[in-house]
Amino acid sequence: MEVVVPFSPIDPKSRLSSVLDRAERREFAFVMLEDVLDALSRTRGVPAPTVLSTAELDRDVGVPVEVDDRALTPAVNDVLASTADTVAVVMADLALATPTALRRLFASDADVVLAPGRCVGTNALVARHPDFRVDYHGASFVDHRAAAGTVGASVSVVDSNRLATDVDEPPDLAEVLAHGAGAAVDWLRDRGFALAERDDGGVHAVRCDD
């Protein structure tokens, strides 16, 4: 099995720009990548992943890095087309991922295993069918399920809050603060982020100097 973790080090996480400046967003992206790689390393039976990066990295992340500056869909499809082996794709911003959650992803023997995001994206997948290809635009979970059916691949869906939570927007930081246990939650707390109650009774992440 090949495991790839797509990652973009160039101006990442732009939707967090209202709460993190450019340098902070880049550092936070690396911290979340660290958490994902750590969770994968502690998942029994899973080989060391390769980071599929859109640019050269300026630091050692402890695993091989392959640079492909294309968009996510063609880059991942090239990996799928270049091997007869099983391919797993785990996104780099799953700051809540744990070995327990990842074991559920890898445990299924379906031809295509999908872990959907909360906004109908695809946060992780395992592809065993030689003809399956990805399309990460729009509602990719729906598209991937249909694509699997088109090539006659069996499909399994992993319903996991930890794999469904990709950190893209300010409300997602509250999820990390509430449920995180790795480098990402420590990073946020070190920079003054904490949970606070909103006027409507909900909870959000605020910075102490806000």
Side-chain angles (χ1 to χ4, degrees):
M1 178 167 62
E2 296 185 24
V3 182
V4 296
V5 180
F7 181 67
S8 177
I10 302 173
D11 195 22
K13 299 298 164 191
S14 59
R15 284 181 281 175
L16 292 174
S17 59
S18 63
V19 293
L20 298 174
D21 65 30
R22 185 187 181 102
E24 288 175 324
R25 287 187 281 111
R26 189 171 190 274
E27 189 63 30
F28 187 50
F30 271 103
V31 170
M32 290 193 290
L33 173 64
E34 176 186 337
D35 275 346
V36 171
L37 296 178
D38 177 66
L40 285 166
S41 74
R42 294 185 290 113
T43 304
R44 185 176 303 173
V46 175
T50 296
V51 172
L52 187 62
S53 178
T54 57
E56 296 284 350
L57 302 186
D58 60 3
R59 65 192 73 185
D60 181 9
V61 294
V63 299
V65 177
E66 180 179 332
V67 176
D68 190 327
D69 63 2
R70 293 177 293 174
L72 180 59
T73 293
V76 171
N77 278 335
D78 189 62
V79 175
L80 292 170
S82 65
T83 182
D85 202 356
T86 297
V87 175
V89 183
V90 180
M91 295 304 166
D93 58 357
L94 305 185
L96 302 186
T98 63
T100 299
L102 290 166
R103 277 195 294 271
R104 293 181 57 201
L105 177 74
F106 295 113
S108 172
D109 59 0
D111 295 330
V112 177
V113 186
L114 301 172
R118 290 175 300 172
C119 295
V120 206
T122 305
N123 287 352
L125 64 82
V126 176
R128 298 184 176 92
H129 196 286
D131 298 325
F132 176 77
R133 297 293 182 268
V134 299
D135 183 352
Y136 283 102
H137 298 97
S140 66
F141 167 70
V142 175
D143 294 338
H144 288 153
R145 190 169 53 188
T150 298
V151 300
S154 59
V155 178
S156 176
V157 177
V158 177
D159 183 9
S160 166
N161 180 63
R162 289 192 171 275
L163 298 183
T165 305
D166 49 332
V167 182
D168 285 321
E169 300 183 358
D172 301 329
L173 300 183
E175 298 291 332
V176 179
L177 289 168
H179 305 293
V185 66
D186 290 340
W187 189 92
L188 288 172
R189 288 170 177 162
D190 287 346
R191 279 146 189 83
F193 283 92
L195 291 173
E197 187 172 340
R198 299 193 309 256
D199 292 340
D200 63 4
V203 174
H204 63 158
V206 297
R207 222 166 180 169
C208 290
D209 57 358
D210 286 354

